[in-house]
């Protein structure tokens, strides 16, 4: 507020002592002077790059520099007005152009319905999209062969199952894993866990850490055989990870338990407890996990000892803080 007040005070002072015309000349001179410097910099870059837009930039440089000069000498103030009108018109045209990029002037002047009838589906889709008629936009994008744009429009329209179907087509035709992930997410949003599981399963073949999520989806869809197969694949992944990083033995134990192999589940949980004990020697916070692991194993005495060590660790932390 203080800054705004100071600016108003300066403006009022200039008008009082030098008049409104002087203030106008000063404002125009500063504006066009800065603009001329920017266009001079841009022109040099464009000439160096041998761009065809260098001529346009040179025109802007010459007009802005001339307007800055006229603001100083004030011999032809109408010329400044003409140049300002040109700049305003250029700004309005630029904003209008950016509203519908990659669309010709003829296409801009026609309605979406007219463009669709003439089978100019790409331009029609952009028009429908601008009007927020996303379903019609998606239909036209499909006819134009722009499936990703169509999927995005169906998403905006809340038609998640149609987005998912298009991403499945893209995944099949382009053989890209990313689209399976997109299809899975939209099937899940639509509430179709079976289809979501199918798509995530295709992704899990390449990215094995998704097998557990696949198994849970098959379970929620009531497909127990496929869920069991997914759990077995998840087990293979976690066994490999557990050999490299012991913290995953807990996941291995849970999956063995899920598959009904109590003995292997116990052995895996024992390995997890041993891993946690080693970590607890370096960081006392791990005694909590040691206690939980031994509790699951039914080893009450060891669980109690681990809990005591965890409580001692918490006391030390509190004393330090």
């Amino acid at each position: 507020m203080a800054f705004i007040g100071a600016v108003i005070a300066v403006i009022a002072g200039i008008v009082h002592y030098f008049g409104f015309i002087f203030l106008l000349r000063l404002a125009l001179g500063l504006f066009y002077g800065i603009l001329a410097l920017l266009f001079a910099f841009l022109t040099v870059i464009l000439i160096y790059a041998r761009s065809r837009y260098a001529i346009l930039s040179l025109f802007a440089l010459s007009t802005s520099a001339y307007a800055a000069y006229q603001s100083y000498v004030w011999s032809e103030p109408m010329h400044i007005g003409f140049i300002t009108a040109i700049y305003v018109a250029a700004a309005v045209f630029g904003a209008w152009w950016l509203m519908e990029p990659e669309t010709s002037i003829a296409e801009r002047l026609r309605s979406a319905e007219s463009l669709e009838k003439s089978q100019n589906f790409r331009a029609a889709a952009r028009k429908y999209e601008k009007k927020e008629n996303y379903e019609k936009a998606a239909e036209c994008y499909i006819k134009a062969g722009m499936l990703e744009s169509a999927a995005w429009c169906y998403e905006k329209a809340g038609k998640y199952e149609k987005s998912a179907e298009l991403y499945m087509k893209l995944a099949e035709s382009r053989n890209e894993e990313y689209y399976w992930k997109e299809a899975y997410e939209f099937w899940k949003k639509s509430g179709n866990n079976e289809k979501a599981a199918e798509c995530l399963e295709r992704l899990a073949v390449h990215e094995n850490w998704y097998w557990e999520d696949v198994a849970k989806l098959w379970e929620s869809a009531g497909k127990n055989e496929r869920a069991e197969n997914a759990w077995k694949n998840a087990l293979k992944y976690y066994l490999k990870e557990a050999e490299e990083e012991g913290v995953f033995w807990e996941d291995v134990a849970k999956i063995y338990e899920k598959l009904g192999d109590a003995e292997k589940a116990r052995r895996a949980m024992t390995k997890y407890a041993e891993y946690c004990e080693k970590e607890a020697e370096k960081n006392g916070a791990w005694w909590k996990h040691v206690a939980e692991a031994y509790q699951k194993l039914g080893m009450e005495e060891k669980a109690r000892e681990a809990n005591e060590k965890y409580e001692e660790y918490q006391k030390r932390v509190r004393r330090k803080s």
Side-chain angles (χ1 to χ4, degrees):
M1 290 297 293
F3 175 75
I4 294 172
V7 170
I8 293 172
V10 169
I11 291 171
I14 292 171
V15 172
H16 178 74
Y17 288 105
F18 302 102
F20 178 76
I21 296 297
F22 181 84
L23 175 66
L24 179 64
R25 290 171 63 186
L26 180 63
L28 289 170
L30 286 171
F31 173 74
Y32 281 112
I34 293 169
L35 210 59
L37 288 173
L38 291 174
F39 281 124
F41 180 70
L42 183 61
T43 302
V44 170
I45 292 174
L46 292 173
I47 290 172
Y48 178 77
R50 296 183 181 179
S51 171
R52 59 181 177 176
Y53 295 109
I55 295 173
L56 190 61
S57 183
L58 191 61
F59 171 77
L61 169 61
S62 59
T63 53
S64 57
Y66 178 71
Y69 169 73
Q70 279 297 331
S71 299
Y72 176 71
V73 298
W74 206 248
S75 60
E76 296 289 347
M78 286 299 294
H79 291 182
I80 302 174
F82 293 143
I83 291 170
T84 301
I86 291 170
Y87 274 68
V88 170
V92 171
F93 179 79
W96 177 67
W97 187 268
L98 290 172
M99 286 173 69
E100 296 183 69
E102 300 178 16
T103 306
S104 69
I105 293 176
E107 289 169 343
R108 290 164 188 269
L109 299 174
R110 296 173 63 186
S111 69
E113 292 78 10
S114 170
L115 290 164
E116 186 180 6
K117 283 178 184 177
S118 64
Q119 298 189 340
N120 190 343
F121 297 118
R122 180 172 170 276
R126 292 189 184 280
K127 288 275 187 178
Y128 281 127
E129 193 176 343
K130 186 182 173 185
K131 291 162 65 177
E132 297 186 4
N133 189 342
Y134 293 113
E135 284 195 69
K136 285 293 291 181
E139 290 169 11
C140 288
Y141 275 130
I142 290 170
K143 290 173 184 176
M146 301 172 69
L147 299 188
E148 280 188 85
S149 296
W152 184 87
C153 285
Y154 275 134
E155 179 191 354
K156 293 288 287 184
K159 301 292 183 181
Y160 300 128
E161 67 286 347
K162 290 189 174 182
S163 286
E165 286 171 358
L166 289 174
Y167 280 121
M168 286 180 75
K169 286 182 180 178
L170 285 163
E172 292 283 5
S173 62
R174 299 187 185 180
N175 195 28
E176 290 186 26
E177 297 161 22
Y178 161 78
Y179 295 117
W180 288 118
K181 181 74 161 47
E182 291 294 304
Y184 146 72
E185 287 179 352
F186 285 109
W187 280 124
K188 195 172 180 184
K189 277 186 179 180
S190 72
N192 192 329
N193 285 348
E194 187 172 336
K195 283 285 189 181
E198 285 179 12
C199 294
L200 194 59
E201 191 171 69
R202 295 288 293 269
L203 181 62
V205 171
H206 304 284
E207 300 179 10
N208 299 154
W209 53 87
Y210 285 117
W211 278 117
E212 184 176 355
D213 294 322
V214 173
K216 290 175 181 177
L217 282 169
W218 282 126
E219 283 182 341
S220 65
K223 301 291 184 179
N224 294 329
E225 285 187 21
R226 297 195 72 165
E228 183 177 349
N229 183 61
W231 280 121
K232 287 176 180 177
N233 283 315
L235 178 60
K236 290 177 186 175
Y237 167 71
Y238 281 122
L239 277 168
K240 183 181 175 183
E241 292 297 310
E243 293 296 337
E244 297 176 9
E245 182 57 56
V247 71
F248 289 103
W249 283 116
E250 183 181 24
D251 298 288
V252 172
K254 287 177 182 176
I255 296 174
Y256 273 131
E257 191 175 344
K258 173 76 71 173
L259 294 172
D261 196 330
E263 183 56 36
K264 287 184 178 179
R266 185 176 180 80
R267 287 205 294 267
M269 185 56 71
T270 302
K271 288 182 179 181
Y272 174 66
E274 291 169 355
Y275 170 80
C276 290
E277 279 194 271
K278 288 179 183 177
E279 292 298 314
E281 296 299 333
K282 296 179 281 186
N283 182 350
W286 277 86
W287 285 115
K288 180 182 179 182
H289 302 294
V290 174
E292 290 170 351
Y294 281 127
Q295 193 77 44
K296 289 175 184 176
L297 288 165
M299 301 171 74
E300 298 297 334
E301 183 60 28
K302 284 201 167 190
R304 185 184 61 76
E305 289 173 4
N307 266 321
E308 287 174 357
K309 289 179 180 180
Y310 180 61
E311 287 171 8
E312 288 173 11
Y313 164 75
Q314 285 186 309
K315 286 176 184 177
R316 288 197 303 272
V317 170
R318 282 195 290 269
R319 281 198 296 268
K320 287 179 181 178
S321 61

